[in-house]
């Protein structure tokens, strides 16, 4: 079940508490709350997806930051490869994306991982990955973030993305709708991957947690 809303840009755990009971129920049942914001100069809106994840913020961030594996579970991603290590927390990642009725899109983004220390001892950290476009075959610009916050015994996953496309057909209605559905599908796939590894591939998750902790100490 999907709820489409028009809300302010910044959405976090505190904002989730102000959602209606029905909207919170969507999150906690594994559904998504989708937020859109029209942006001057872009034919596509900024899209924010709130997704409840069964797993801790640390586990969720660890799965997400294993960028080389995105092609194995994120829809339409054909290639994902770390191409440059700027520093331990900042990596550049090459992607190839399958695009309908157009050539595949190749692009590189710079991802930076950070973490917020909780105010109260014993509370879970919040993790954040921000990205910006380095270069692309046609995309003009792209920016976004993935944020993982403790929420109701699991994680509130906020996935926000703004892409300014370069193709001439990008403004067509069905292409715009497809772009939004792809963002929703990406958030859903990441949440599903976290849940799958927690119950099925614990060795992989343990390796990802070690890599995350090597960057950000618990």
């Amino acid at each position: 079940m999907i709820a489409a809303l028009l809300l302010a840009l910044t959405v976090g755990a505190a904002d989730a508490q102000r959602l209606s009971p029905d909207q919170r129920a969507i999150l906690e049942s594994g559904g998504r709350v989708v937020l859109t914001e029209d942006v001057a100069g872009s034919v596509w809106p900024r899209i924010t997806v709130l997704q409840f994840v069964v797993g801790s913020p640390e586990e969720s961030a660890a799965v997400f930051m294993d960028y080389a594996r995105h092609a194995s579970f994120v829809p339409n991603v054909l290639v994902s490869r770390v191409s440059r290590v700027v520093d331990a927390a900042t990596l550049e990642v090459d992607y190839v994306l399958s695009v309908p009725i157009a050539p595949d899109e190749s692009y590189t983004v710079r991802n930076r991982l950070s973490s917020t220390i909780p105010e109260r001892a014993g509370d879970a950290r919040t993790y954040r990955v921000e990205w910006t476009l380095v270069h692309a075959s046609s995309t003009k610009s792209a920016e976004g973030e993935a944020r993982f916050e403790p929420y109701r015994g699991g994680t509130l996953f906020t996935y926000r993305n703004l892409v300014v496309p370069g193709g001439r057909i990008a403004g067509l209605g069905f292409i715009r709708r497809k772009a939004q559905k792809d963002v929703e599908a990406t958030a859903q796939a990441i949440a599903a991957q976290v849940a799958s590894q927690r119950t099925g591939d614990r060795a992989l998750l343990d390796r990802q947690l070690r890599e995350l902790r090597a960057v950000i100490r618990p």
Side-chain angles (χ1 to χ4, degrees):
M1 184 175 183
I2 298 172
L5 308 171
L6 179 62
L7 298 180
L9 172 61
T10 302
V11 179
D15 300 87
Q17 297 291 351
R18 292 194 290 270
L19 296 177
S20 72
D22 285 348
Q23 292 160 355
R24 288 198 299 271
I26 290 170
L27 289 178
E28 292 158 21
S29 66
R32 298 168 301 287
V33 176
V34 182
L35 322 174
T36 63
E37 179 191 23
D38 290 334
V39 176
S42 178
V43 296
W44 290 356
R46 177 181 283 110
I47 302 168
T48 301
V49 182
L50 277 72
Q51 171 85 51
F52 184 78
V53 179
V54 179
S56 71
E58 185 186 43
E59 291 170 330
S60 303
V63 170
F64 183 84
M65 70 166 288
D66 192 355
Y67 308 117
R69 296 196 74 257
H70 284 190
S72 69
F73 65 89
V74 176
N76 303 315
V77 174
L78 304 177
V79 174
S80 56
R81 179 182 61 248
V82 175
S83 55
R84 183 185 177 202
V85 178
V86 179
D87 56 50
T90 310
L91 305 178
E92 291 186 359
V93 186
D94 297 338
Y95 290 95
V96 177
L97 187 68
S98 175
V99 181
I101 64 171
D104 294 340
E105 177 74 356
S106 299
Y107 62 97
T108 299
V109 292
R110 177 173 291 185
N111 293 346
R112 179 162 183 79
L113 172 69
S114 61
S115 177
T116 302
I117 299 174
E119 295 180 359
R120 297 182 301 178
D123 286 354
R125 285 175 177 259
T126 291
Y127 296 85
R128 185 183 188 192
V129 176
E130 299 173 89
W131 58 83
T132 56
L133 184 69
V134 177
H135 54 76
S137 53
S138 68
T139 300
K140 293 180 179 179
S141 67
E143 62 182 33
E145 67 167 336
R147 190 165 65 240
F148 305 93
E149 303 170 83
Y151 182 70
R152 298 288 182 92
T155 296
L156 175 63
F157 171 33
T158 302
Y159 185 81
R160 177 177 296 116
N161 203 33
L162 172 63
V163 173
V164 180
R168 290 180 296 177
I169 65 171
L172 296 176
F174 81 97
I175 296 291
R176 178 185 168 110
R177 289 189 295 273
K178 176 69 164 53
Q180 178 169 327
K181 291 297 183 184
D182 285 349
V183 173
E184 296 174 29
T186 296
Q188 183 181 24
I190 292 165
Q193 185 69 17
V194 175
S196 174
Q197 290 185 208
R198 290 182 81 241
T199 59
D201 197 343
R202 190 70 212 190
L204 173 59
L205 182 55
D206 287 343
R207 188 264 293 171
Q208 293 165 333
L209 286 167
R210 288 193 298 272
E211 292 176 356
L212 174 66
R213 291 167 184 167
V215 179
I216 298 178
R217 300 295 180 182

